[in-house]
Amino acid sequence: MSEPVHSVHPSLWENLMQADPTEVCRRSGVQFDKATGSYLLDFLQERYRIEPSSRLIEPVAGPTPAGAPSIDLQVILITYLLNAQERPLADKLVAGSSLKGGKCFFQGAHSFPLDPLIEQYGNDIKGFLNRGLSLGGIKEDHGDVSVRFAALPRVPVVMVLWGADEEFSPRLSVVFDASIDQHLPLDVIYGLVAEICRRMTA
């Protein structure tokens, strides 16, 4: 997902059409509206309706960005519904490089797009926290400031900022519950972080 995605691959919709809604909801922790045949899935504070029969994804609640959901976000939501597992959080935070295959994957073109956040918030720790809280994040005690986002029902994401000082430039890292790769493949994890970064810098 480092390159622009222009459409949702038809196989994703086909697989979701064939999935048992009861099973999907059990695994992913989402709701299903039988009247419309739609899943209701929360991303941050935004709620989306996903209707496989019409291949429609639309915002229905929350501070959703203007315009239709990005193709990247659509892929994230559908992939989560297809892949999520019914399992508890590991309660262990890890970097992307610690996930299976992550050390090779999350570099170069797949390095998380954190530079705009560092530029915007490296000297504004309070602004970073306030923006994170406005997206539904919860303050945690890592680095100089950190925010935990309920990105998807079973997928928390934590951003940790160390602000600039006399000796060091600002740094920002993203860590995940160690269970994240049970729910999302690495390329979709990259897209998930990119979507959060877009909202943090909006």
Side-chain angles (χ1 to χ4, degrees), residues 42-201:
D42 293 339
F43 171 73
L44 300 177
Q45 290 184 304
E46 308 158 16
R47 173 162 289 193
Y48 291 89
R49 183 172 77 87
I50 299 140
E51 185 178 312
S53 62
S54 61
R55 300 189 175 187
L56 171 71
I57 298 180
E58 64 177 0
V60 295
T64 53
S70 70
I71 297 299
D72 280 351
L73 180 57
Q74 294 181 50
V75 171
I76 291 163
L77 299 179
I78 299 173
T79 302
Y80 175 76
L81 292 175
L82 291 171
N83 286 25
Q85 302 298 313
E86 185 184 22
R87 58 176 298 165
L89 294 176
D91 287 329
K92 175 185 177 183
L93 293 177
V94 299
S97 59
S98 296
L99 301 173
K100 185 177 181 179
K103 186 173 182 179
C104 293
F105 185 85
F106 294 118
Q107 58 180 322
H110 289 112
S111 296
F112 293 132
L114 304 179
D115 287 348
L117 276 76
I118 294 172
E119 182 177 347
Q120 183 167 340
Y121 297 114
N123 293 293
D124 186 11
I125 289 176
K126 184 176 180 180
F128 176 86
L129 176 61
N130 288 340
R131 181 57 181 161
L133 297 178
S134 77
L135 296 174
I138 299 173
K139 184 178 183 296
E140 292 211 337
D141 297 322
H142 309 289
D144 289 331
V145 66
S146 57
V147 179
R148 180 186 184 98
F149 299 97
L152 294 162
R154 299 192 189 280
V155 181
V157 175
V158 180
M159 287 189 167
V160 184
L161 176 66
W162 291 265
D165 60 26
E166 295 178 354
E167 295 184 44
F168 298 102
S169 300
R171 292 179 294 133
L172 180 66
S173 65
V174 182
V175 290
F176 313 94
D177 187 83
S179 64
I180 189 171
D181 56 358
Q182 302 298 309
H183 308 296
L184 298 172
L186 298 181
D187 61 331
V188 178
I189 292 172
Y190 171 88
L192 178 67
V193 173
E195 283 290 320
I196 296 173
C197 288
R198 291 185 191 114
R199 285 157 178 75
M200 283 293 292
T201 55

